[in-house]
Amino acid sequence: MRNIIAIIPARSGSKSIKDKNIKLLGGKPLIAWSIEQCFKSKIFSKVYISTDSKKYALIAKKFHNKYPSKISVI
């Protein structure tokens, strides 16, 4: 199996919609949809979330329990 990674950028400084990456969409934060789609695709062996926000990092880390050892927040 090839080692293919995904990097999801989630910066907190949106100019149009404040904190858009953690706004709820269909009952989940927007970033959650991105994470889940990475794993549903079965293409990526690891997903990295790149963020400048501790708040965003905490939300992304909640998915670590769902996908152990396959998600990291950097």
Side-chain angles (χ1 to χ4, degrees):
M1 182 174 137
R2 296 185 335 185
N3 244 354
I4 301 174
I5 64 167
I7 299 173
I8 300 173
R11 114 183 144 85
S12 61
S14 175
K15 293 184 191 257
S16 58
I17 302 172
K18 184 172 172 48
D19 289 327
K20 72 178 171 204
N21 289 307
I22 58 172
K23 294 276 189 211
L24 294 182
L25 178 68
K28 292 187 276 191
L30 184 61
I31 195 169
W33 291 98
S34 300
I35 293 168
E36 289 179 352
Q37 290 308 307
C38 284
F39 288 112
K40 281 184 181 181
S41 74
K42 299 185 191 241
I43 294 171
F44 306 104
S45 56
K46 186 106 173 155
V47 174
Y48 292 93
I49 312 298
S50 174
T51 185
D52 60 350
S53 167
K54 288 182 182 181
K55 188 181 203 180
Y56 287 21
L58 288 172
I59 290 170
K61 282 181 181 179
K62 287 182 181 178
F63 289 88
H64 186 270
N65 294 331
K66 191 171 183 179
Y67 305 104
S69 77
K70 294 193 178 237
I71 186 170
S72 296
V73 178
I74 52 175

